[in-house]
Amino acid sequence: QLMNETARQRIVALSVETRPDWVTEAEVKLIRRLGVTKIQLGVQALDETIARLTKRGHGAAEVARATRLLRNAGLKICYHLMPNLPGSTPEKDIEMSRLIYSDRRFKPDYVKIYPCMVIAGTELFRMWQRGEHRTYTDEELKCVLKEISALTPPWVRVDRLVRDISRKWVAAGTVKTNFRQVVEEELKKEGRPCRCIRCREVGGGEYDLNDLEFNEIEYATVGGKEIFLSFEKGAKLYALLRLRLPNKGERMLFAELRGAAIIREVHSYGQAMGFSKRGKGKTQHQGLGKQLLERAEKRARAKGYKKIAVISAIGTREYYKKLGYVLEGTYMMKEF
């Protein structure tokens, strides 16, 4: 880790996958010691009947506990969701997505939507053979994915929509790999385009950054508020910052985070450039992240927090040091 702080090529993010019921205090301490900044949780569905039929081993309560613990440690959170599981219906899948995006216990930062596929030789395959499980038609699945995409808030990134598994392995379920393209095109034609982060990222190239608009979205979660700060223009997103404001008295796992506002993510989009290079009109490394940090610090001070913490990746610690942050535990800290 010490080598990575100043290496020529640096690891600037570390994401791992796990189960909600495996997220304990000891596990969160371990993943922070390892430098993890993002956790992907195998949620699949928030329905006790579905969890029992699929022998998932956990339910909504475990997902809620894991989410609160991870969020209070500053980690970014991705849910893996699986429509078309045994016991579900298109309507139930849509309703569960609405719950995930609106219930204060959940509200992930990212989602991956992997419709269930039946693979030969599995217990699910035998259920399907006995007629105990029906896979959606492609038209039914498209309707489900469209509604979930239309429901997705602008502070969520849909990382993936449908998993690319070789059709030779799939006994039942969709084998279409361009579902995302179809879904996005149809939603645009219907006048309700997907507003997720991935659909709005500005991408590469050169852009005029002089007339960007600053936006702020505040939403409630268990244990504190989340502030989503961004620079945007029209339908395009140029930079974002996730700020957590824990409730006073909220139990924090790490001593250095007690009494602190927490920056869980800072990200600028566009053409990547070297640390020391700046190009006119380039979207990345033009100070958008720094501007968002300053606004987050101002917001935290105004709310009465005495300090602010960043869950910095190991490879970005030097960046924060230049902005007055110091390493405390595994977080970059600044006292006001």
Side-chain angles (χ1 to χ4, degrees):
Q1 288 185 4
L2 289 174
M3 291 172 64
N4 187 47
E5 286 189 15
T6 56
R8 285 188 63 189
Q9 288 82 31
R10 305 175 198 175
I11 304 300
V12 295
L14 183 55
S15 173
V16 300
E17 300 181 12
T18 190
R19 294 166 52 95
D21 54 333
W22 196 255
V23 178
T24 62
E25 292 189 358
E27 190 74 2
V28 173
K29 289 179 180 178
L30 170 64
I31 62 177
R32 285 304 299 134
R33 193 164 70 247
L34 297 175
V36 173
T37 54
K38 179 181 178 182
I39 290 288
Q40 302 187 45
L41 293 176
V43 173
Q44 316 303 29
L46 290 179
D47 181 274
E48 302 307 320
T49 299
I50 295 173
R52 186 173 64 253
L53 285 171
T54 57
K55 302 179 182 178
R56 186 64 190 164
H58 66 76
E62 288 79 8
V63 175
R65 278 199 297 270
T67 301
R68 184 175 187 173
L69 189 58
L70 292 168
R71 189 174 271 138
N72 279 340
L75 287 130
K76 299 183 288 290
I77 301 166
C78 177
Y79 283 5
H80 288 200
L81 307 178
M82 188 168 283
N84 198 191
L85 283 167
S88 195
T89 64
E91 295 76 20
K92 185 177 286 188
D93 286 333
I94 295 168
E95 190 54 40
M96 282 190 291
S97 297
R98 183 176 285 109
L99 177 69
I100 283 168
Y101 290 145
S102 62
D103 193 302
R104 295 170 64 250
R105 296 173 296 167
F106 308 117
K107 300 187 179 183
D109 309 302
Y110 300 77
V111 295
K112 289 184 176 179
I113 303 171
Y114 293 143
C116 184
M117 297 178 183
V118 180
I119 309 299
T122 63
E123 187 169 344
L124 182 62
F125 176 73
R126 292 186 284 276
M127 290 176 63
W128 173 72
Q129 284 184 314
R130 294 192 299 266
E132 298 170 6
H133 174 61
R134 182 185 76 84
T135 56
Y136 301 161
T137 66
D138 278 358
E139 187 62 29
E140 287 177 312
L141 182 58
K142 183 180 71 173
C143 291
V144 171
L145 297 179
K146 282 175 62 177
E147 293 310 310
I148 294 175
S149 296
L151 284 168
T152 303
W155 38 264
V156 172
R157 189 182 196 272
V158 180
D159 276 351
R160 294 181 70 179
L161 192 69
V162 178
R163 192 160 219 163
D164 186 3
I165 295 178
S166 174
R167 64 177 62 224
K168 70 180 181 180
W169 296 103
V170 181
T174 188
V175 292
K176 293 183 68 173
T177 58
N178 69 331
F179 247 123
R180 183 167 201 150
Q181 180 183 6
V182 172
V183 165
E184 290 176 1
E185 288 178 353
E186 290 197 9
L187 286 174
K188 286 179 182 177
K189 289 179 181 177
E190 295 171 10
R192 49 181 191 140
C194 178
R195 302 173 297 151
C196 92
I197 290 169
R198 188 179 186 275
C199 288
R200 297 186 296 123
E201 292 168 3
V202 70
E206 298 186 3
Y207 305 90
D208 181 5
L209 302 181
N210 295 322
D211 56 350
L212 298 184
E213 296 178 1
F214 171 72
N215 288 321
E216 187 175 305
I217 301 174
E218 181 177 311
Y219 56 97
T221 61
V222 173
K225 290 182 179 179
E226 293 289 321
I227 316 293
F228 183 80
L229 312 176
S230 64
F231 280 115
E232 304 179 19
K233 181 181 179 183
K236 294 298 182 181
L237 175 66
Y238 288 77
L240 66 84
L241 183 149
R242 299 183 192 274
L243 174 65
R244 178 157 183 77
L245 301 177
N247 291 339
K248 300 296 189 292
E250 176 73 359
R251 182 177 179 273
M252 307 300 285
L253 181 58
F254 297 98
E256 58 267 32
L257 296 183
R258 292 166 193 162
I262 308 168
I263 294 172
R264 300 192 299 116
E265 180 177 18
V266 184
H267 199 112
S268 296
Y269 296 94
Q271 184 173 336
M273 300 172 60
F275 287 125
S276 61
K277 296 179 181 177
R278 289 180 180 272
K280 184 178 181 181
K282 304 292 187 185
T283 56
Q284 203 168 45
H285 303 300
Q286 284 291 309
L288 295 183
K290 182 180 179 181
Q291 290 182 52
L292 289 176
L293 280 166
E294 290 172 349
R295 290 175 184 265
E297 292 168 8
K298 183 177 180 180
R299 182 68 181 268
R301 283 197 303 268
K303 290 292 184 179
Y305 293 87
K306 303 300 182 184
K307 56 185 178 178
I308 194 163
V310 182
I311 184 171
S312 168
I314 308 300
T316 55
R317 284 176 177 171
E318 289 296 301
Y319 170 77
Y320 291 106
K321 287 178 184 177
K322 294 175 182 177
L323 299 178
Y325 287 77
V326 296
L327 182 63
E328 186 176 336
T330 63
Y331 298 88
M332 298 303 295
M333 309 287 296
K334 178 186 282 189
E335 293 192 11
F336 300 140

